Amino acid sequence: MKLILRLLKILAALLAIFCIGVFFAWRFYFTDANSRGFAEAATGVLAVLEPPPPGVSGRPFFAKLRIAKADGLADELLGREIDFAFLPPHHARLEAEVDGQRFAIGRNGEEIWIAAPDKDLFIAGAEDVPRFKSNPASALPADLPPLILPFDPELLKALPAIVDAGAPEERALADGGTARVHRGMLKPGARNRFDLPGGTFTFGIRPADGIPAVIGYADGAGLDIEIELLGARVGAAGEAPPQGWGIPAPAGAPVERVALAHLQRFAEAAVGAMGGEIAPLPAATGEKVLVARSGEGRLELHDGVRVLFVKGTPEEMGAQQGELLRGEVRSVVERILYGVGVGSSFDKGRWFFEEIEDAQARLMAHMDPRYLREMDALAAAAGLEKEEVRLANFFPELFHCSGFAIHGPATEGGTLYHGRVLDYLRGVGLEQNAAVAIVQPDQGNAWVNLGYAGFIGSITAMNEKGIAIGEMGGRGEGNWDGKPMAQLMREVMEKASTLGEAVEIMRRGPRTCEYYYVISDAHADRAVGIAATPDTFETVYSGESHPKLPHAIGGAVLMSSGDRYEELARRVQAGHGTFDAQGALDLMTRPVCMNSNIQSALFAPQTLDFWIANADGENVASHTRYTKFNLGDLLKSAPAPAAAAR
């Protein structure tokens, strides 16, 4: 699923390079031979995107796109090949193999389709299909733009020479051919005047016929993409690829008609996931800044970490979050619901919206109406459909993680430490939208939710009574007749004041799927691990063992799996009796956390201290800077000083 999104990012990057290239390559006047050669190469590449004049039949362009360089992107992209066919302005087709499975996406006139032939999944977008089953009136008319360059050539012709280019080089291609490759960069004045990116652009053509052969871009900060166009050719007027422009469904195979808007949003989400990598946080200085207010709520930055304060009724808290984190909420919905969610269809062979809406219909009977009211108010404030926010809030049902609690004989002074490692979805856009939410409902306990914009349920939390909780996902997907896991955990936060009350809430359920939990209590000399399905409920208290968790360690509950569990147990045994806060944080580093580690947290429920770290563009969460907070102090704190005007 993530690989599909990454391949789409590469294709989006290609189109971006084409479009940027127009600014400096469209029949400009250049003062030296190198710049003229660069312009000719770029123009040759860009010509394949030009639609034919009115009344003239277009000629398609065919090539196999090979990712020859992918620095700054996923390593598994290097060497990948994508079959590409293009006929502007209304036809395109891409096909690739991912993990041994073939996938294709295309546009045929006003139809967008996606196919996973090995999964027998064939999806065609239609504008008359409602976007949400629960809202039959949600169909949205299509407005597919033409596949053309979004610039006015007449305006571009008037621009002066704005490129510095080096001498061309000859290069051997993977298909045995050669290319004359030109590299150039925009002059500083042009970048500033037209608000264009810096970096080096690469265009290559085959010397014999001027057909495009290479295109690339390097930003000078670690990103360096280069694509070879193998076997590239311009077809005859009216020619189509061997598979045609339409969906490649075999005769008799069912083609599922879905909302066209969902496929459009999927493509937009893939493009949106291209950038936005987070820089590592600098050393903490204690800086606190008030960003904005909304009613009783406010948004602050504490050493670069978002801290959201919401307070009041469900409607008030939903509106506060929707207003204060409007952009972040919309980004999460776009990337999770339409990006990762729709992308998962091609892993599973089932259309994502069909699956999640069926799950929602079964979950609704068990949901607290207060949470639905909060979600709907959040959606209205963020400018989203209520169905989008509700469906996005079911997404945590798929999370996978590790957790532990150590206390008493396992730690220095008997201090209770509760660790939580979230290993899921790193690199798809959640990190950019992380937030520490201080939740003060008009009914129940106040608590801190370590999550992401738009999520009102919880997977990592601690309340003012000193109850902390985390979870890890198991199997049993499809058992949806119960309370959503993230909202069951929120119920523990708002209603439990003791470990016994928390366990009883979890036991009572009703529960969905298979999940594992660690719950700790500042006032009880123990913590508990829970293994739960809709029909079974097992507990493992501190110092106890279980067939799946065979290491009984005094003052410890360890919840993980496989080699990660063995390493966690080894570390706890080795440091038994000596753990302080830093030692507990060190328990979560690799290989206890995975490469997908997006967030790590540590709670000290007896003092209400907690530490939070989120993955950045270079490191998994457990290897980044932790920021320390205290829930008691945050609940009593006055607003931080307002941010200076910028």
Side-chain angles (χ1 to χ4, degrees):
M1 175 172 60
K2 288 178 65 176
L3 189 52
I4 295 171
L5 293 175
R6 286 171 178 162
L7 286 170
L8 288 173
K9 292 180 196 178
I10 290 291
L11 298 175
L14 272 174
L15 293 177
I17 295 166
F18 278 136
C19 296
I20 293 168
V22 164
F23 273 105
F24 56 81
W26 199 294
R27 306 179 184 89
F28 286 172
Y29 170 72
F30 293 90
T31 57
D32 62 85
N34 289 337
S35 293
R36 286 197 300 272
F38 178 87
E40 291 169 0
T43 301
V45 173
L46 294 164
V48 304
L49 291 181
E50 290 188 76
V56 177
S57 296
R59 299 179 64 190
F61 179 79
F62 304 102
K64 185 180 289 291
L65 309 180
R66 177 180 177 272
I67 303 173
K69 189 180 291 186
D71 296 348
L73 296 172
D75 293 340
E76 63 263 37
L77 292 175
L78 189 63
R80 293 277 176 175
E81 295 183 350
I82 305 165
D83 293 326
F84 175 66
F86 181 69
L87 176 61
H90 299 300
H91 295 83
R93 190 181 197 283
L94 303 165
E95 185 170 354
E97 183 175 300
V98 182
D99 296 335
Q101 305 288 325
R102 297 296 296 181
F103 299 92
I105 183 170
R107 175 171 174 182
N108 184 23
E110 296 305 305
E111 176 187 75
I112 292 178
W113 56 262
I114 302 179
D118 298 319
K119 300 283 188 177
D120 294 321
L121 182 70
F122 303 96
I123 301 293
E127 64 179 3
D128 61 335
V129 176
R131 289 173 294 154
F132 311 105
K133 293 173 79 173
S134 59
N135 182 5
S138 61
L140 195 65
D143 185 20
L144 294 179
L147 300 172
I148 59 175
L149 295 170
F151 305 117
D152 181 356
E154 296 304 317
L155 173 63
L156 299 175
K157 290 177 188 177
L159 297 177
I162 57 174
V163 168
D164 285 327
E169 63 181 46
E170 297 294 320
R171 179 188 301 182
L173 302 176
D175 60 359
T178 61
R180 182 179 296 119
V181 178
H182 301 257
R183 288 188 175 86
M185 60 180 61
L186 294 169
K187 294 179 179 179
R191 295 200 303 269
N192 296 334
R193 180 175 179 182
F194 300 107
D195 193 25
L196 297 173
T200 301
F201 298 85
T202 300
F203 292 101
I205 59 173
R206 296 196 306 233
D209 53 17
I211 294 291
V214 178
I215 185 169
Y217 173 69
D219 66 358
L223 179 66
D224 192 352
I225 310 169
E226 212 160 82
I227 312 292
E228 293 181 353
L229 288 72
L230 306 180
R233 67 181 182 89
V234 177
E239 183 180 356
Q243 307 89 338
W245 296 111
I247 189 166
V255 176
E256 187 167 0
R257 296 174 75 252
V258 306
L260 178 59
H262 289 343
L263 296 185
Q264 288 180 278
R265 297 282 290 276
F266 173 54
E268 292 166 3
V271 174
M274 281 178 56
E277 283 199 346
I278 304 172
L281 289 171
T285 63
E287 180 187 39
K288 299 178 184 179
V289 175
L290 176 66
V291 177
R293 287 177 178 268
S294 173
E296 291 290 306
R298 66 185 191 271
L299 176 65
E300 298 182 353
L301 285 178
H302 291 207
D303 279 318
V305 177
R306 290 186 193 91
V307 181
L308 172 71
F309 296 80
V310 293
K311 183 177 183 179
T313 66
E315 289 82 2
E316 289 169 338
M317 293 193 298
Q320 291 159 16
Q321 181 170 182
E323 291 174 7
L324 294 169
L325 293 178
R326 178 184 173 92
E328 291 84 353
V329 171
R330 295 176 67 88
S331 175
V332 166
V333 168
E334 191 75 16
R335 296 188 181 203
I336 296 305
L337 198 61
Y338 295 103
V340 178
V342 172
S344 71
S345 304
F346 315 112
D347 281 346
K348 297 180 177 181
R350 301 190 302 275
W351 178 237
F352 167 74
F353 273 92
E354 180 77 18
E355 182 181 25
I356 197 169
E357 288 190 291
D358 286 347
Q360 180 191 46
R362 292 164 61 184
L363 290 161
M364 286 289 287
H366 306 282
M367 290 182 60
D368 188 329
R370 289 174 56 86
Y371 299 157
L372 291 172
R373 287 158 49 196
E374 186 173 342
M375 283 187 271
D376 293 350
L378 192 158
L384 293 166
E385 303 284 354
K386 71 177 184 180
E387 292 86 359
E388 292 176 307
V389 171
R390 288 185 178 190
L391 292 174
N393 265 273
F394 294 137
F395 208 87
E397 294 285 308
L398 304 177
F399 287 163
H400 304 277
C401 333
S402 300
F404 64 84
I406 51 177
H407 61 97
T411 64
E412 187 178 273
T415 302
L416 169 63
Y417 295 109
H418 182 149
R420 161 76 159 120
V421 178
L422 174 58
D423 288 325
Y424 197 54
L425 289 178
R426 179 175 174 233
V428 302
L430 279 178
E431 302 97 314
Q432 291 90 332
N433 302 294
V436 172
I438 308 303
V439 184
Q440 300 178 72
D442 62 342
Q443 296 179 23
N445 301 322
W447 56 291
V448 57
N449 188 13
L450 303 183
Y452 302 92
F455 288 125
I456 69 152
S458 183
I459 53 174
T460 310
M462 179 175 66
N463 69 17
E464 62 182 332
K465 306 296 186 181
I467 304 295
I469 189 169
E471 60 75 43
M472 62 180 285
R475 297 169 296 178
E477 185 178 347
N479 296 322
W480 302 123
D481 297 304
K483 294 182 179 180
M485 170 271 295
Q487 292 172 36
L488 188 60
M489 291 177 63
R490 174 171 177 168
E491 187 175 334
V492 169
M493 288 293 94
E494 294 182 347
K495 296 182 179 180
S497 299
T498 67
L499 186 62
E501 291 173 354
V503 171
E504 185 54 34
I505 289 171
M506 301 299 293
R507 188 189 305 275
R508 185 171 60 244
R511 301 176 300 277
T512 63
C513 306
E514 177 184 57
Y515 293 102
Y516 300 87
Y517 306 88
V518 175
I519 307 177
S520 61
D521 180 353
H523 307 292
D525 190 25
R526 61 179 184 169
V528 66
I530 297 173
T533 71
D535 303 315
T536 64
F537 192 85
E538 299 177 89
T539 58
V540 179
Y541 285 90
S542 307
E544 296 179 351
S545 65
H546 182 275
K548 293 183 179 179
L549 304 170
H551 301 290
I553 304 173
V557 172
L558 311 180
M559 190 72 73
S560 191
S561 61
D563 292 342
R564 290 177 293 135
Y565 170 72
E566 293 296 331
E567 176 62 17
L568 180 58
R570 186 197 66 77
R571 292 180 180 183
V572 172
Q573 289 170 331
H576 198 263
T578 68
F579 287 104
D580 57 9
Q582 185 58 53
L585 291 171
D586 291 342
L587 287 174
M588 296 186 279
T589 58
R590 293 280 296 146
V592 170
C593 72
M594 302 169 67
N595 287 329
S596 57
N597 175 213
I598 187 174
Q599 186 184 83
S600 294
L602 181 70
F603 299 108
Q606 291 156 331
T607 61
L608 297 184
D609 287 334
F610 64 95
W611 295 256
I612 177 67
N614 293 289
D616 57 34
E618 299 178 10
N619 305 290
V620 298
S622 293
H623 291 256
T624 63
R625 190 201 82 190
Y626 282 89
T627 305
K628 182 181 179 182
F629 297 92
N630 182 275
L631 176 58
D633 292 343
L634 290 168
L635 290 171
K636 295 182 293 186
S637 65
R646 296 176 180 173

